[in-house]
Structure formats: structure tokens, C-alpha cells
Amino acid sequence: MVLLIVGTMVAPRAQQSAPASTPGLFSELRWRMIGPFRGGRTKAATGIPSQPNVFYIGAVNGGVWKSIDYGVTWKPIFDDQPTGSIGAIAVAPSNPDVIYVCSGEGLQRPDLSTGDGIYKSTDAGKTWTHLGLQNGQQIPQIIVDPGNPDRLFVAVLGHPYGPNEERGIYRSMDGGRTFQKILYKDENTGGVDLAFDPSNASHVYAVLWEARQGPWENGVFSGPGSGLFESTDGGNTWKLLTKGLPNFEQGGLGRIGIAIAPSDPKRMYATVQASNGGGLYRSDDGGQSWSRPTENPLIVTRGDDFAEVKVDPNNPDIVYTASIVTWKSTDGGKTFRALRGAPGGDDYHRIWINPTNAGIILIASDQGAVITVNGGESWSSWYNQPTAQFYHVSTDNSFPYRVCGGQQESGSACVQSRSDDGRITFRDWHPVGAEEYGYVAPDPLNPDIVYGGKVSRYNRKTGEVVQVAPRPVRGGDYRTVRTQPLLFSPIDPRTMYFASNTLWKTTTGGNGWTQISPDLTRKTWDVPPNVGKFHNTPAARVSQRGVIYTIAPSYSDINRIWVGTDDGLIHVTADGGKTWKDVTPRDLKPWAKVSMMDASHASPLGAYAAINTFRLDDLRPHIYRTHDGGKTWKQIVNGLPAGATVNTVKEDPKRNGLLFAGTETQVYVSFDDGDNWESLRGNMPATSIRDLVIKDDDLVVGTHGRGFWILDDITPLRQLRPDGLDGDTLLKPQVATRVEWNRNTDTPLPPDEPSGENPPDGAIIHYFLKQPAAGPVGIEFLDSAGNMVRRYTSDDKAVEIRDEGNVPSYWIRPSPVVSTAAGLHRLVWDLHFTPPPVPQTYPIAATPHNTAPEPKGPWVSPGTYTVRLTVGGKPYTQPLVVRMDPRIKVAPIALQQQFTLSKRLYDAMVKIQEMIPIVSDARDRAQAAGKTEVAQKLSSLAGGDGSGRLRGASGRGATLSSGPTLTSIAADLAALYALSQDGSGVPPTQTVTAAEDTLKRYNGIMAQLTPLVR
């Protein structure tokens, strides 16, 4: 069979940059990533033979990452691009600065993401250009001519949920400026794998795969288009290779993965997915005939998922396969041993072997990517990759609150939103017994009890997990899919809901359930048009197979509950489940998945519904709104781009009309109840936003590829009008919590230890400048009596970030900056007075790039303060409430006593530093006037070098001096001041006694100095 070239030329589209928010409005609203650092599904992986320490990986929804240290650390290099779904990466062998990245994960599975074509870098990943093939959606493989970085072949799999023309094998001869379709079967068959003959780049092998996903979960279609093809003229003509391989008619042939031995191009291996005769195949004649060297079914498992085989660069008998385990054979595929795996199933997708050193191997899996440099004796970790795929997100009621969800392929995680050690590390998260696909529902009354999945109950104190599902065994009229909703009532914290195809309720923590709905899914339906040629197959048989996919209890009426199904229905009950009403919007088609609903906080009869039509081959956004109990619905998608498939929508509980939506690439915000939307992506990478929640004043996001992210303090968004702000504005700040930001007392974790980011250290102040300020801008903090506590101005000189003594520069926190530019700005006040004017050091409790010098000024006491912004001489004020860390239970009088003592010590330190130049000047004048006795007296009282300068005055743990000199008393004050700031409450009696004694000595020496310096 010969297939001639198909002359389709595909030109690139214009370069797209990351979507930008309204200029100047959201620029300083910053997302922070909190982890967990536990890798997610990673399918693209490659290295550079001539740079054996350099590797690239692509997570299926987490972007492209680069390591220059054999996988010890990974850095994202693709985060400013419009997609994060990656299927393949290739480095040009003849020029390692040229990298091609193919988007769309390139799998056929119930949970996947798509991309928007191919990208290219010519500077090793610093910058990127989009090339084309945007409508291919999934590109699982690319190969680059070993001698020509501009000649490349691309396998385009195409739409996972529908037919499309842009699929098959493409070739570019000009570095991706144009593409030519050279191997094409039909609109249902795509390209999935490619390989060069190592001895001849005109000799090319390609694999086509005919497979599609159904609009319902686990719906799979396949057809006769799959096969292995060979071209000996650089892709101009192709021949189908069949001898010894299964076919579709008798064997159910599906996906094939291929590899050629670099040391013997006649030796080939193939992983073959087939219902009859699948497994590992070997050819010794360049693919003209095939046989099975082993019958071991474990070597090629789930061949549609893991079609990967690689051959050692020097020995054609050493072959590796990636499956649930990575396997290795040294006898040409006859026998295998496990190279790497785990009882839970790591699920490996890609193997790269350094062609110049076969002991260096990179493998990518559902758990992330790992590297060995000794042939598999030891491996790097995938617990350094924040590419976790979460289906949903929830928070508990602890302080700091935890962020929880089920992680695809790994299990579950609850991560603290704040660490007491300055940054969020492995110390701050833990699994909670929920399944990988599940919701996680912490008990509102006891955050140490956590429910999840379908349904488990975890006790954090004991570590025990108990299964408490409504039905212990599935079957009959009880249906579930991967992710089923599980949540507590926002009104009654003892009521928990769970959904299968019916709705369930418990008030006993799962110790007994009540079914409160009938089956609310479609009993019959028309097969969606995108099923196409497969509509008459058994896999498309019409049956009642849907489930309730989302639950939205009312925030004001415990009897009103909304539910949506994955087959496209919406129901509501107003009597706690006794009766249900179908309120589905008229234009909602079968299998338009109701991905998420949220009852309105502001409208008792209101609700919002995010409709995901990806499985209908429709990437357009769909959000519906009702304010009349579902009698009427309105689509609200203005401002959302055509490809922004929506997964979730939530209403802010504190401001009417403030909505947040999560799409397949980013977060959007609406200020007018959904009538208009704009991007809130900011500094977040493009990734699938599967769920989001508003926790107090924070927006918390669960992504399906980049872990958990938090937008701290959304109070500015609550104060913005849809048309923005009229003029210079000081926004009302949120309540600030006095928390010791880093309580670590030991050597810090190394800077390259994977870590998430803590929230800002103190009160967050937002202000808006309509135009650039003509003069200085100042921000002041005043106590209740109007006294100045702290002041920042735009004229403040920023501290230069540099090595400070024995402290490398990468530990040091930048200075706060008061901006004079137009736009919205953020300043963080650390809730301390101005630092005392004494030599500063850096504490052992250090955080990379975020370690503040000590000593700081005294902690402010809980209470109400005034923030004053001054622009062009005009003041603007807002109240600021400071509360104590909720974990600290101490009487206000004790805090006040601590503050009073600390402030007295602090004031004395300040006065001494003010006195030092006065004493020095008076001494010099006395000497000049011949008053030797006075000069000697001043030098004696000053101490030290005679100037009174305090050298390295220390702080915590310092030894008190005995000499009554300005220098010695300054050192004693500094030591006692540090001790007085420890903890929360009155310091120990001995500290108070020593402080009073030192203050007495301070008053005495100041009394002696005052008449001498006049």
C-alpha cells in the first residue's frame, strides 16, 4: 500500500502572548504557589547528549521544565505562553539551542487536555515563537533531522472528541514556518509516533492511530485506520507495514509505539495495543516482518496509554519498555526485569537514553520525571516538581487553613496555606486518605476529620482511614464515575452531601446515609453529532449512564439544593429533596457536562452553572446564570475567548456580582454578575483551573497540572467598580493577623529544597494612582492616639541586595517599595515599628530571598490603626484592624505589658543612638577648648572606642555587661529588647528584672551626659 504526499500547507498563526488584565489594575495582585511538590503526569522528556546535565520535560498540563543539574532542581521555562498542555519535546541534535515543543498531551483517556500547536525556541528555552498546527489539539510526537534543525516531522493526533482534518503526519523543511501534510488517512485517524532510521534521515517510520473518546466517561471508539508506515524518500511516499502484526478486523489493532536500535537500524521494536495479539514485537529486517519475542503481558500494559519502547544506543539486545513499570531486557526482548516501579503503579510514558552514555536515562511518568546516571542503581526525585493534577479544591477551618484535594495518580494532599518555617515544604503537607480523583471535604467543626472520594473518612490525629460510602459495593442502580461531589452544607456544618446518580445526605459523619433524590440523569438521549461514524457502534449504545456531577446547596435556605449532571441536566429542590424540578436551560444538549454549580450568596433563588462541552468537541465557554430559581437562564460569557472551556464558576460571598471562573488555561473575574469577564491570570502559568474557592479574603485555586495557588487578599477586587476607580484611592485593607512569619530555630533547609511561598509578612495595603505621582508618595501607620508607628515613602532608598558578611545575597528580602507609577500597588507592612538604628544581622531562621534583618521594631499590639496615604500633599486614610494569631491564647493585658516593656527598651536604644554623635561632638569641642577633664569624662562615659559606637550589638542570647558606659548599656538594651520580643505575653520575671535594672542604668548615664554635652 503506497500513500502519496498530501499537499496541505499550514502557515503559522501570529505569536500569542499570555493574556493581560486591564492595564495597571491587577498588575500587583500576585498569585503564590503552595505545592505540593509531588509530580504529576509527564509525557514529554528529552536531554542533550553533549550537555549530559541538561534535560527538558513537559507535564501534560504543567508546561515545560528544564534541569541543568541532572534533575536535582527543575525550573519552568514556558510559563508565559498561552498553553501549558505538553505532548512532546525535541531538541535539534545539530543545534541544542533549537527546541520544539508540541502542545496537547496526545493521549486518548477520560481526563486529558489539549493545546494549540507547536512552539519553537532558538535560545535554549529563553523565548518562544508559535509555529502553527493550532487546530491539531493534540501533538504527541516530533522528530528533528539529526543534521538539519529546520527539517522536522510531526505526528498530529487531532481532536480527542471529534473528527477534524488537521491530523496525520506533517513535515516542515523551514524550521516550522510552514507545514506540509504528508501522511493522512481520514478525519478520524491521527498521527501518534515517528522515528528516523539512525543511518538515513530520509528513511522514516510513522504510526497512525484511529481512536476517539466518547462524550461520556470511559467512552472509547476505535477504527481500522491504525497502522505502521514506512517512507524511504523522506516522507513523499509511504508503505503500510503489516507482516506479523495484528490488524483491526481480527486483532482489534490500536496504538503502536516504535523504536529503532541506533547500533543496528534493521533491529526494531514495537509496542502494540490490540485486543488479540497485543504486546511487544521485534523486527530484524527494518520492519518488513515482525514476531513476538515474549508473551509476558506485563511488558506492554494499557498500550493506548504507555506505547513507549527504547533501545540501548550500543547494544540492540538491550531494550526498555515504559508501562505500569519500566522494564529492561538484555536478550532482545525475551526476558525482562523491572528497572523501576512501585506497587501503586507509577505508569511510565517516555524514556530518553543519552546516546553517548547509556547509563544516563530520563524517564517520565504519571508521577513526574526522574533521572539515573548509573543505569538505574539510583534515581533523582519527582518530589521536586510542582505539577500535581487536582480535580477539586477545598479548605478547612484551621489556622493557618489547609488547602486540600485529590491528586491524579498519587492520592490526596492537604497543604498548609502558611508555614511556621517561612516557606511551605514537605513538612507542611500530608495525604488525607482520599482517592486520586476525589473531592476532599474537611469537617467544618473538626479540621482533623477529613472526608474524601467515594467516601473515606480520615482522622489526622490517629492516621486511620475508614470507608463510609452510602453503598459499600457499586452496582445495580448505584453509579459513579471518577470524581463525585462531596461537600458539607454551608448552613448546617453537620450535614454532608454526596452524589452518585442520586443525591445522598448524612448528619452522622457517614455512619448511615439517606437518599434524598431519585436518579436525576437522562434516561434516554440522542447520540451527540461529534460521535460521527461511531454512532451506531456498541460503545455508543444509548443507556442511562450519567451521574450527578455537582452539588450546590443554598447559602441561605437549607432546603434548597441545586444539582447538575454530566449528561447535561440541572435540577433543584426547595424542600430538602422531597421533590425535584428539572430546570435545565433549553439549549443545554445531552452530555454537555454541568461541571460546577454555585448557589448565589446575594440572590435566594439565584445560581450559576459552568458547562464544560469539551467532550462534545466544543471548546467554547459556557456559563449560565439564573435569579428566578431556574425558570430562566442567561449565558454570561462576554469577554471569555473562544477556546476558554469553563470548569468552574463561583460567586464571592461578600460582594454582589463579583464572580470568578476557572477555564482550561486561567482564572477570569467579572464585576457585573458575569455580564463581562476579564483575565485574572497575572503571574500564574497557563494550566487547567479545575476548581476554585473563596476562603475568607483569599482566592484559592486547584489546578490540574500545577498544584495549588492562592491569590492573597482579594479585598481590592471587592472594592473595584466595573468601570475601575475614578482617582487616587487608598483601598480599605483586610484585617491583618500578627503572626511570627518564621519560627524556625534551626539551620534552614537549603535554598534549592523545593518549597511553596508563604503569604506576605504582615498587613497588605493597596492603593491606586490614576496618574503617575508628580512628587513623593508616602504611606504612614498611626496608632489610636495618632502617633506615628511606621512610615514608608517613595524616596526611601532600597537596600542593595548583596552579600552581607557571611550571609549570601540569595537569602535577603528586598526592601518595601512605595511606587509613584499609575496603577494599583501593594505595600506590605510587617506590623513592627521602625527598626532601631543599630547594626543589623540576619537570623538563623532564614528563608531564601525573603529573610528580613534583625532587630526589627517592636510588634504592634492588636487593635485599630490608621493608614494614611499622601499623594501630592493630599492625604487619604483608612482604618486597619490588627488581630492576634488565633492560635495564641493570651490576655490583652499581657500583650500590652510586653509591648510597654519592649517599647521602653526600644526607645532607650533609639535615644542612645541619637546621643552618640552628640557626645562625640561635645568631646571634640571640649578638647578643642582645652577642657581635657570634660573630654576624658565624655570618652569614659561613651565607652568602646571612645565614640560610643555600638559595634555588632547583638541581640538574643547576648551577655549583659557590667560597665556603666553608653556602649555597654546599648549592648544590654539590645540583648534585653530581643528577649522581650520573644513569644506573646509578659517576658519571664528575670528578664523583666534585668530590663528594669538596665533602664535604670540608662537613665543614670543619660543624666550624667546631659549637662556635659550642653
Side-chain angles (χ1 to χ4, degrees):
M1 177 180 181
V2 177
L3 290 154
L4 297 178
I5 188 169
V6 180
T8 303
M9 301 299 291
V10 181
R13 66 171 169 83
Q15 166 70 16
Q16 287 189 6
S17 60
S21 300
T22 303
L25 195 56
F26 303 149
S27 59
E28 291 197 29
L29 296 180
R30 187 175 178 278
W31 296 90
R32 63 182 173 96
M33 188 276 299
I34 66 168
F37 279 79
R38 179 170 65 180
R41 191 162 67 244
T42 303
K43 186 173 165 291
T46 192
I48 301 178
S50 61
Q51 302 173 31
N53 57 306
V54 179
F55 300 87
Y56 297 93
I57 58 173
V60 296
N61 221 322
V64 181
W65 298 73
K66 181 178 183 177
S67 175
I68 59 173
D69 52 18
Y70 294 98
V72 174
T73 61
W74 294 93
K75 303 296 183 185
I77 60 171
F78 202 71
D79 282 2
D80 58 347
Q81 299 305 305
T83 183
S85 177
I86 309 299
I89 303 174
V91 176
S94 60
N95 184 354
D97 286 340
V98 176
I99 309 169
Y100 294 93
V101 167
C102 301
S103 64
E105 63 183 271
L107 293 172
Q108 298 287 7
R109 50 176 289 120
D111 173 67
L112 54 82
S113 61
T114 57
D116 64 352
I118 299 183
Y119 293 79
K120 179 181 180 179
S121 174
T122 57
D123 52 15
K126 295 183 179 68
T127 60
W128 298 92
T129 301
H130 187 273
L131 300 180
L133 299 176
Q134 182 177 8
N135 196 38
Q137 288 195 2
Q138 297 210 89
I139 305 177
Q141 189 59 281
I142 180 172
I143 57 175
V144 182
D145 188 322
N148 182 357
D150 290 334
R151 181 174 179 261
L152 49 138
F153 293 78
V154 180
V156 180
L157 189 56
H159 293 199
Y161 288 102
N164 74 302
E165 293 288 333
E166 193 166 276
R167 58 171 76 211
I169 305 299
Y170 289 77
R171 180 181 64 196
S172 176
M173 304 296 289
D174 54 14
R177 288 191 292 272
T178 61
F179 287 91
Q180 192 173 28
K181 188 188 289 186
I182 57 173
L183 178 57
Y184 178 75
K185 181 78 171 178
D186 57 38
E187 61 185 4
N188 300 297
T189 305
V192 70
D193 206 0
L194 288 159
F196 283 123
D197 178 336
S199 64
N200 180 3
S202 293
H203 189 189
V204 188
Y205 296 87
V207 176
L208 297 183
W209 184 23
E210 183 176 351
R212 280 236 298 281
Q213 292 290 293
W216 44 89
E217 189 147 316
N218 298 317
V220 179
F221 306 124
S222 59
S226 302
L228 172 62
F229 297 83
E230 176 189 34
S231 173
T232 57
D233 56 9
N236 293 329
T237 60
W238 295 87
K239 180 178 72 171
L240 178 65
L241 304 177
T242 61
K243 188 175 181 181
L245 294 173
N247 58 30
F248 181 77
E249 289 72 18
Q250 286 81 41
L253 176 64
R255 184 180 177 186
I256 300 173
I258 56 174
I260 306 171
S263 60
D264 180 4
K266 293 294 184 181
R267 175 72 63 84
M268 295 183 66
Y269 295 90
T271 62
V272 177
Q273 175 207 6
S275 56
N276 183 19
L280 180 68
Y281 282 75
R282 168 177 159 175
S283 173
D284 293 308
D285 55 10
Q288 306 310 303
S289 62
W290 295 85
S291 62
R292 295 181 67 182
T294 180
E295 300 290 325
N296 188 340
L298 300 178
I299 305 309
V300 179
T301 308
R302 286 162 45 196
D304 56 340
D305 235 357
F306 316 126
E308 174 75 347
V309 58
K310 285 294 187 291
V311 188
D312 182 273
N314 306 308
N315 186 340
D317 286 334
I318 299 178
V319 57
Y320 302 83
T321 67
S323 188
I324 294 174
V325 168
T326 295
W327 299 94
K328 178 180 180 180
S329 171
T330 58
D331 56 9
K334 296 174 185 177
T335 62
F336 283 82
R337 67 172 180 87
L339 181 69
R340 184 177 172 90
D346 289 341
D347 296 355
Y348 294 93
H349 292 276
R350 187 70 73 213
I351 303 170
W352 181 83
I353 307 170
N354 189 315
T356 64
N357 184 345
I360 299 176
I361 304 172
L362 163 67
I363 54 177
S365 74
D366 282 354
Q367 315 299 320
V370 291
I371 296 165
T372 179
V373 296
N374 51 24
E377 292 183 23
S378 60
W379 297 85
S380 65
S381 176
W382 51 47
Y383 277 80
N384 58 7
Q385 298 154 45
T387 53
Q389 295 177 285
F390 289 99
Y391 284 87
H392 294 281
V393 65
S394 60
T395 57
D396 68 11
N397 288 334
S398 62
F399 183 90
Y401 66 85
R402 302 181 186 93
V403 181
C404 306
Q407 181 183 345
Q408 170 79 42
E409 313 299 348
S410 297
S412 61
C414 276
V415 185
Q416 286 193 177
S417 59
R418 169 198 296 272
S419 173
D420 283 335
D421 294 338
R423 52 181 170 144
I424 300 167
T425 68
F426 62 89
R427 298 168 173 168
D428 303 301
W429 71 271
H430 198 274
V432 289
E435 64 177 345
E436 60 182 288
Y437 317 116
Y439 278 70
V440 172
D443 190 322
L445 300 177
N446 183 358
D448 286 331
I449 301 297
V450 184
Y451 299 86
K454 296 190 285 283
V455 178
S456 59
R457 183 177 65 217
Y458 169 74
N459 186 318
R460 182 175 282 106
K461 290 185 176 179
T462 67
E464 292 181 321
V465 179
V466 179
Q467 299 302 317
V468 294
R471 297 270 185 90
V473 180
R474 283 189 295 174
D477 59 351
Y478 184 80
R479 294 190 306 277
T480 59
V481 294
R482 286 181 166 228
T483 179
Q484 292 293 153
L486 174 74
L487 50 86
F488 279 87
S489 164
I491 297 174
D492 179 5
R494 290 179 173 81
T495 296
M496 182 168 60
Y497 300 104
F498 171 73
S500 54
N501 51 311
T502 62
L503 185 61
W504 300 83
K505 170 184 172 181
T506 182
T507 57
T508 59
N511 188 25
W513 294 80
T514 302
Q515 182 178 323
I516 61 171
S517 85
D519 191 326
L520 295 178
T521 65
R522 294 181 186 266
K523 292 180 173 56
T524 187
W525 34 271
D526 295 329
V527 176
N530 62 300
V531 174
K533 64 174 279 189
F534 303 108
H535 73 282
N536 286 324
T537 63
R541 179 178 58 85
V542 175
S543 64
Q544 190 170 16
R545 62 176 80 193
V547 297
I548 296 173
Y549 204 78
T550 179
I551 310 169
S554 168
Y555 294 98
S556 57
D557 179 359
I558 196 168
N559 291 313
R560 182 171 294 275
I561 309 168
W562 303 80
V563 299
T565 68
D566 66 343
D567 58 9
L569 293 178
I570 295 176
H571 287 80
V572 65
T573 179
D575 53 17
K578 295 176 183 177
T579 60
W580 291 85
K581 184 178 181 181
D582 185 343
V583 293
T584 306
R586 291 182 179 180
D587 55 348
L588 212 58
K589 300 175 181 178
W591 298 105
K593 181 170 69 178
V594 187
S595 179
M596 182 64 67
M597 293 192 69
D598 189 33
S600 173
H601 294 266
S603 171
L605 298 180
Y608 305 89
I611 312 298
N612 186 317
T613 54
F614 178 34
R615 291 180 177 176
L616 297 179
D617 198 31
D618 175 7
L619 300 185
R620 294 174 300 170
H622 302 283
I623 303 176
Y624 287 81
R625 178 186 71 202
T626 183
H627 287 308
D628 56 13
K631 294 178 182 177
T632 60
W633 294 87
K634 180 181 179 181
Q635 277 224 60
I636 49 171
V637 294
N638 186 48
L640 298 176
T645 309
V646 181
N647 295 313
T648 185
V649 62
K650 297 290 176 66
E651 182 188 36
D652 182 68
K654 296 185 179 180
R655 171 179 166 169
N656 296 354
L658 179 60
L659 306 182
F660 300 97
T663 74
E664 272 298 291
T665 59
Q666 60 188 286
V667 178
Y668 288 84
V669 62
S670 172
F671 298 97
D672 52 13
D673 206 28
D675 289 341
N676 297 279
W677 295 89
E678 54 187 305
S679 173
L680 197 59
R681 176 179 169 183
N683 63 304
M684 192 190 295
T687 186
S688 176
I689 311 297
R690 289 299 174 91
D691 199 1
L692 56 83
V693 294
I694 297 98
K695 175 63 175 177
D696 303 324
D697 294 331
D698 297 344
L699 182 60
V700 184
V701 165
T703 76
H704 203 66
R706 290 297 287 268
F708 294 129
W709 292 70
I710 298 175
L711 183 61
D712 296 293
D713 188 10
I714 61 171
T715 58
L717 301 179
R718 291 171 175 158
Q719 298 174 66
L720 293 176
R721 297 187 303 274
D723 56 350
L725 296 167
D726 287 336
D728 297 341
T729 306
L730 174 63
L731 299 176
K732 184 178 180 179
Q734 68 175 159
V735 173
T737 303
R738 179 179 140 175
V739 180
E740 192 172 355
W741 201 71
N742 191 341
R743 290 178 168 143
N744 181 35
T745 58
D746 295 353
T747 300
L749 293 172
D752 51 8
E753 188 73 28
S755 62
E757 188 177 353
N758 251 9
D761 182 12
I764 305 174
I765 308 301
H766 292 95
Y767 64 99
F768 178 79
L769 300 181
K770 188 72 173 180
Q771 303 292 338
V777 176
I779 297 179
E780 298 163 325
F781 298 90
L782 313 175
D783 64 18
S784 58
N787 299 312
M788 181 80 68
V789 174
R790 192 72 178 265
R791 184 171 188 265
Y792 301 90
T793 76
S794 56
D795 289 337
D796 293 343
K797 185 177 180 180
V799 175
E800 180 184 355
I801 303 297
R802 64 184 181 186
D803 295 345
E804 296 285 350
N806 291 324
V807 181
S809 61
Y810 52 73
W811 291 103
I812 296 173
R813 174 185 291 180
S815 304
V817 174
V818 178
S819 176
T820 61
L824 183 67
H825 301 290
R826 181 175 82 167
L827 178 89
V828 178
W829 172 39
D830 64 4
L831 302 181
H832 288 271
F833 280 67
T834 303
V838 298
Q840 294 195 312
T841 59
Y842 288 88
I844 193 172
T847 301
H849 308 290
N850 214 344
T851 306
E854 292 185 347
K856 300 176 182 177
W859 277 110
V860 298
S861 297
T864 300
Y865 296 79
T866 296
V867 187
R868 183 166 64 201
L869 168 72
T870 303
V871 183
K874 183 177 180 180
Y876 305 83
T877 62
Q878 289 284 2
L880 169 65
V881 175
V882 177
R883 68 165 184 167
M884 198 62 196
D885 182 335
R887 297 169 295 182
I888 304 298
K889 308 301 181 185
V890 61
I893 187 64
L895 289 174
Q896 185 58 46
Q897 290 172 342
Q898 179 187 28
F899 169 76
T900 300
L901 179 64
S902 294
K903 186 64 163 54
R904 290 171 62 203
L905 294 165
Y906 168 83
D907 288 342
M909 293 166 65
V910 172
K911 288 292 186 182
I912 282 183
Q913 297 306 311
E914 292 174 351
M915 179 61 78
I916 287 173
I918 297 174
V919 170
S920 179
D921 180 66
R923 183 196 60 192
D924 292 345
R925 284 188 286 108
Q927 286 179 333
K931 299 179 180 180
T932 306
E933 184 177 345
V934 173
Q936 289 177 344
K937 179 70 173 177
L938 286 169
S939 293
S940 175
L941 290 173
D945 61 0
S947 69
R949 291 187 182 90
L950 180 58
R951 299 190 179 278
S954 64
R956 190 170 284 109
T959 301
L960 299 184
S961 66
S962 55
T965 68
L966 203 62
T967 302
S968 65
I969 292 174
D972 294 349
L973 288 170
L976 289 162
Y977 170 73
L979 294 173
S980 75
Q981 287 284 283
D982 283 345
S984 302
V986 182
T989 301
Q990 60 271 29
T991 302
V992 175
T993 300
E996 293 293 351
D997 177 68
T998 302
L999 286 168
K1000 184 178 179 180
R1001 289 189 290 122
Y1002 157 76
N1003 289 328
I1005 199 168
M1006 293 296 279
Q1008 294 182 66
L1009 284 168
T1010 299
L1012 294 175
V1013 299
R1014 286 175 181 167

